[in-house]
Amino acid sequence: MNMLYDALFAPLAGRRDPLLILPEGGTITGQDFLAMVARQAHALRAAGVQPGDRIAVQVAKTPEALAVYGAAVALGAIFLPLNTAYTAEEVAYFLGNATPRVFLCDPARQEALSPVAAAHGALVLALDAKGAGSLSDRAAGQPDHITPTPRGPEDLAAFLYTSGTTGRSKGAMLTHGNLLSNAEVLREVWRFGPSDVLLHALPIFHTHGLFVASNLTLLTGGRMIFLPGFDLDQVLRLLPQATIMMGVPTFYTRLLDAPGFDRDLVAHMRLFISGSAPLLAETHRAFEARTGQRILERYGMTETNMNTSNPYEGERRAGTVGLPLPGVELRVMAEGRELPRGEAGVIEVRGPNVFKGYWQMPEKTREELRPDGWFITGDIGVQDAEGYVTIVGRAKDLVISGGFNIYPKEVETVLDEVPGVLESAVIGVPHPDFGEAVFAVLVAETGTALEAEAVLAAIRDRLARFKQPKAAVVVQALPRNTMGKVQKNVLREAYRDWLRI
Ligand code: AMP
């Protein structure tokens, strides 16, 4: 048996209905996609890929790119997708760290990256945004069927590198068992089935678009409207064909900004899911007011797949990430002990979803993964009496000012409630007296003239003095990465000297 292949890919055999619906109107049937997987797997094997080898991939999102994932699984190799935004220098680090057998990249980058790939012993193959390139050339004419290499639950299926905002990226090692167990749980809790059509506008180099979205659809026999990225017009045009959409919060704010986005357009939708970054409670409410639908927010990470989810039936609480998933244990810790419900601390999780450690970084693994299986997420959260989890912030974003701990999220929530404030990001900046001082970056609602001083005055009675920002600025937009996460490291760098003198 090959655990993932048998569950996700083998069932496509003989499937004559579309698996992938493409934006230009074409479709790819399940059996045609499976044949693509097989041809690529033969081509990769012929190129020297052995079980356990890494296949690093930095290419545009196409059906062919998704098929490489299937080919890697079939060969018992390890799929290693890379963010398309990474520079050649960053890619060089990943190639050196993971030493893949094959590196698949866009033809435009092949020349720049070939020397570094060669230095690490990787063969470079190309795949462009239309699915053409040397990989597809080699795959053409290969057999349409492959017998998968046997793999069990403990065998590695993928490395996903963490975003590495503090120090070097780490390769999270995920097994067949990690990935399949999570997809099986999500199938139950979100009621996925063969009649579902998922609008897939997420990247496939990240756990959200690759595992949550694609694994789940493959496992349950549904379809995907497979978009190269989030294009508002395309999404509005294709939503009528979908039953489910998964997105990062920015997808939902962009939809809310679109005049044509209304109740009628989405009346047929079964489910909207959000994750990867906090969904503002305000977005949740605005979405419901506009469409009558309550977004289901869930929480997960590269190392753990999904950990918690708001319920499908039952209350989806705005501003919370819901309840621990079946089979996932969750606890809130501080100073080595478990905190009672209602108190904020570092979230730890344990379960079949939790990864096997960081590739060739035993020390980092020991720091974050306890011997008894608990993973220290680094997220600060609180669980209420009914079990609902709220993320309060990231441990590393904690601001310590004059000896007091300040959770940026708490301050942001208060700032966001000031009329005229659309959103905010609170960071710590160096300060001569306090060590660090609280600093706020504000974004105004469209059409509002926002005065930073006036906003600070408005919250004066609402927060303890030590939590109040010492200064604030108004900006056009917060810097975000492709997964919608606010890049606080960018802000910390930009405002580093603001309060120094
Ligand atoms: P990544 O490994 O890139 O998926 O990032 C994982 C991190 O994203 C988590 O540790 C959280 O800090 C954050 N995250 C994911 N989902 C949510 C959510 N629904 N609300 C708040 N933060 C989230």
Side-chain angles (χ1 to χ4, degrees):
M1 79 150 190
N2 176 313
M3 194 179 194
L4 266 182
Y5 188 90
D6 295 353
L8 306 185
F9 299 99
L12 296 170
R15 213 183 121 177
R16 296 216 168 94
D17 66 302
L19 168 68
L20 302 178
I21 300 165
L22 305 174
E24 309 79 38
T27 59
I28 297 179
T29 67
Q31 67 179 12
D32 286 350
F33 182 77
L34 187 63
M36 195 190 287
V37 167
R39 288 193 297 268
Q40 285 188 2
H42 285 292
L44 288 165
R45 184 185 276 160
V49 173
Q50 305 270 333
D53 281 348
R54 277 75 60 206
I55 300 175
V57 176
Q58 190 193 33
V59 296
K61 179 180 170 188
T62 56
E64 288 77 7
L66 186 65
V68 182
Y69 166 49
V73 169
L75 292 173
I78 298 169
F79 187 63
L80 195 171
L82 293 168
N83 192 322
T84 44
Y86 286 142
T87 62
E89 194 183 317
E90 287 166 315
V91 171
Y93 163 75
F94 295 113
L95 296 181
N97 187 255
T99 57
R101 174 76 58 187
V102 167
F103 172 52
L104 186 65
C105 67
D106 191 275
R109 301 194 83 180
Q110 196 165 354
E111 206 181 304
L113 289 165
S114 285
V116 56
H120 296 293
L123 169 73
V124 184
L125 295 176
L127 190 66
D128 69 14
K130 293 200 160 69
S134 52
L135 174 67
S136 298
D137 295 344
R138 288 178 181 224
Q142 294 283 353
D144 279 354
H145 174 79
I146 187 147
T147 306
T149 303
R151 293 277 108 170
E154 292 299 315
D155 288 315
L156 297 180
F159 286 180
L160 257 59
Y161 276 81
T162 59
S163 49
T165 44
T166 52
R168 281 298 198 185
S169 267
K170 296 163 280 184
M173 299 189 285
L174 295 153
T175 63
H176 283 241
N178 292 150
L179 301 178
L180 187 57
S181 67
N182 210 236
E184 283 172 340
V185 166
L186 295 177
R187 168 171 62 186
E188 298 313 313
V189 296
W190 294 341
R191 314 275 198 274
F192 262 62
S195 54
D196 276 318
V197 182
L198 174 76
L199 192 128
H200 192 313
L202 292 159
I204 54 168
F205 53 71
H206 184 268
T207 188
H208 196 166
L210 182 62
F211 299 142
V212 187
S214 307
N215 280 359
L216 197 46
T217 309
L218 288 164
L219 177 71
T220 54
R223 299 175 181 192
M224 292 187 262
I225 302 174
F226 206 64
L227 306 182
F230 185 91
D231 175 285
L232 187 60
D233 291 336
Q234 261 178 5
V235 170
L236 291 173
R237 179 167 62 80
L238 293 164
L239 260 177
Q241 294 178 41
T243 63
I244 300 173
M245 180 174 145
M246 280 184 196
V248 295
T250 28
F251 287 11
Y252 294 111
T253 51
R254 285 191 221 164
L255 282 174
L256 284 170
D257 282 343
F261 184 69
D262 60 18
R263 193 175 281 253
D264 288 346
L265 190 76
V266 300
H268 66 288
M269 291 287 288
R270 184 170 80 74
L271 188 58
F272 288 95
I273 301 174
S274 177
S276 289
L279 181 78
L280 294 178
E282 187 190 311
T283 310
H284 196 281
R285 283 191 281 269
F287 198 89
E288 185 176 14
R290 180 86 69 87
T291 66
Q293 305 235 16
R294 287 177 75 80
I295 298 173
L296 181 152
E297 185 171 9
R298 93 300 179 280
Y299 156 66
M301 57 201 306
T302 300
E303 291 93 330
T304 63
N305 300 282
M306 297 305 102
N307 293 315
T308 72
S309 172
N310 270 282
Y312 184 75
E313 280 152 17
E315 198 195 345
R316 298 180 195 165
R317 283 195 197 160
T320 83
V321 294
L323 308 155
L325 289 169
V328 178
E329 294 174 87
L330 183 144
R331 66 187 187 187
V332 176
M333 301 283 288
E335 283 151 18
R337 67 183 181 90
E338 189 172 347
L339 294 177
R341 295 266 169 111
E343 287 184 30
V346 175
I347 296 177
E348 297 190 6
V349 293
R350 181 165 74 174
N353 54 317
V354 174
F355 75 139
K356 287 292 164 270
Y358 296 113
W359 169 249
Q360 290 184 338
M361 293 187 182
E363 265 171 43
K364 289 275 174 215
T365 303
R366 265 195 301 278
E367 280 169 25
E368 295 180 32
L369 191 58
R370 298 184 191 278
D372 58 359
W374 286 99
F375 176 64
I376 305 165
T377 64
D379 288 312
I380 298 174
V382 54
Q383 199 174 16
D384 72 10
E386 286 150 277
Y388 282 79
V389 176
T390 301
I391 309 284
V392 192
R394 287 286 295 162
K396 63 172 189 275
D397 289 337
L398 185 78
V399 182
I400 306 179
S401 185
F404 290 108
N405 287 359
I406 297 125
Y407 296 123
K409 183 79 184 293
E410 185 190 355
V411 185
E412 288 159 5
T413 307
V414 174
L415 287 168
D416 293 349
E417 283 166 16
V418 176
V421 176
L422 176 68
E423 59 176 346
S424 59
V426 163
I427 52 170
V429 297
H431 187 278
D433 289 339
F434 303 116
E436 261 187 317
V438 180
F439 185 86
V441 184
L442 308 167
V443 179
E445 272 168 12
T446 340
T448 325
L450 202 62
E451 289 282 343
E453 282 307 313
V455 175
L456 296 185
I459 64 160
R460 213 139 274 163
D461 295 334
R462 300 210 39 209
L463 284 173
R465 213 181 147 84
F466 73 91
K467 294 181 189 169
Q468 292 176 15
K470 297 277 175 292
V473 289
V474 179
V475 298
Q476 283 295 317
L478 298 175
R480 285 198 149 85
N481 70 10
T482 31
M483 297 313 294
K485 292 183 215 291
V486 176
Q487 294 167 303
K488 291 211 165 167
N489 50 336
V490 172
L491 294 176
R492 280 189 211 105
E493 188 57 32
Y495 298 103
R496 210 176 43 183
D497 296 325
W498 206 265
L499 294 171
R500 260 211 182 130
I501 325 107

